[in-house]
Amino acid sequence: MGKEIEIKLRAGDPEQLQAAYEKLKAEAMHAEEQTIAMHTRYFDTPEGILRKRKWTLRTRQENDENVLTCKTKGENHCRGEWSIKRDTEAEVPTQQELQALAADGAPELLLVLGALQVTCEAKFIRRAAMLTMTDGTKIELAADVGVLRGREEEEAFCELELELYSGSYDAMLRLAGQTGFPEEVRSKAVRAMRLR
């Protein structure tokens, strides 16, 4: 099973976000940084099969790369996650892509969903650094600034994400605690779906 261990933190404004990002980046022994323009579309059936299970299915344009991802509900900061690179311009995920996700371990329910439609979107700029801490723990630190979009409404957001790639979960928690930011327990998808 693919697994993601991540903490999201809500920043008050972009200036606070960038200051916290720089502070945490300075804690690392080594940091590799990049800036990524992201455009995410979230999908569900007209009956909301995925939403009812608290799963997400999304496509995301990350600079020049296009990715399809399925995430499932988990416990605490851990959840299921499976991704494949897309090589099609089709807006809606194809049956072949869903089969590839299932072959990688994603739930087989994806294969019998039927019609999928865009439910909401997120468009943002991510400044990301892969941090290597002194104990060898690897954490991706990401500062996201952008907008969530429903069918008619949109809402600005800025948040910090820490994702554990390897090493100590406690090290990630300690790093997150240094920001003083409250935890954002709702995903971008959940917040965007609540917009009209």
Side-chain angles (χ1 to χ4, degrees):
M1 175 174 159
K3 185 167 69 172
E4 174 187 62
I5 302 173
E6 178 184 80
I7 300 172
K8 291 182 188 296
L9 303 168
R10 188 171 54 251
D13 57 53
E15 292 74 26
Q16 287 181 353
L17 177 67
Q18 293 306 325
Y21 176 89
E22 291 297 340
K23 177 182 175 182
L24 298 191
K25 192 173 76 162
E27 294 285 319
M29 182 175 65
H30 178 69
E32 296 178 21
E33 189 171 26
Q34 61 179 326
T35 300
I36 310 165
M38 296 198 172
H39 184 186
T40 305
R41 290 184 174 95
Y42 298 97
F43 297 86
D44 205 345
T45 65
E47 306 80 24
I49 289 173
L50 299 175
R51 179 182 48 80
K52 289 172 185 171
R53 286 172 171 75
K54 298 186 178 176
W55 297 359
T56 58
L57 182 66
R58 73 176 191 213
T59 59
R60 178 176 280 173
Q61 187 73 36
E62 303 175 358
N63 287 340
D64 296 327
E65 189 172 283
N66 200 348
V67 178
L68 174 65
T69 301
C70 174
K71 295 189 181 191
T72 58
K73 185 180 177 187
E75 296 296 324
N76 298 320
H77 299 113
C78 183
R79 59 186 170 179
E81 178 179 329
W82 301 267
S83 293
I84 60 166
K85 289 184 181 178
R86 302 188 79 209
D87 58 5
T88 176
E89 295 299 316
E91 180 181 72
V92 177
T94 66
Q95 191 66 21
Q96 184 178 2
E97 290 177 312
L98 297 176
Q99 288 170 350
L101 273 181
D104 197 36
E108 292 191 359
L109 175 66
L110 296 176
L111 303 178
V112 294
L113 286 176
L116 288 168
Q117 60 189 20
V118 176
T119 58
C120 54
E121 301 182 52
K123 202 165 189 179
F124 55 101
I125 300 296
R126 169 169 287 176
R127 189 175 170 204
M130 182 59 74
L131 309 182
T132 303
M133 311 307 290
T134 55
D135 68 352
T137 295
K138 291 191 178 293
I139 299 167
E140 185 183 56
L141 175 67
D144 295 344
V145 178
V147 293
L148 305 172
R149 293 182 178 151
R151 298 192 185 281
E152 300 172 16
E153 296 178 322
E154 68 178 37
E155 176 180 288
F157 75 93
C158 57
E159 66 189 21
L160 196 67
E161 292 186 2
L162 293 94
E163 182 174 350
L164 183 65
Y165 274 67
S166 65
S168 169
Y169 175 68
D170 288 339
M172 183 178 73
L173 290 178
R174 281 194 299 276
L175 203 61
Q178 292 182 32
T179 67
F181 293 161
E183 186 172 354
E184 177 56 79
V185 296
R186 298 173 302 157
S187 68
K188 290 179 183 72
V190 167
R191 286 176 280 154
M193 283 178 201
R194 292 184 177 182
L195 298 173
R196 286 200 323 268

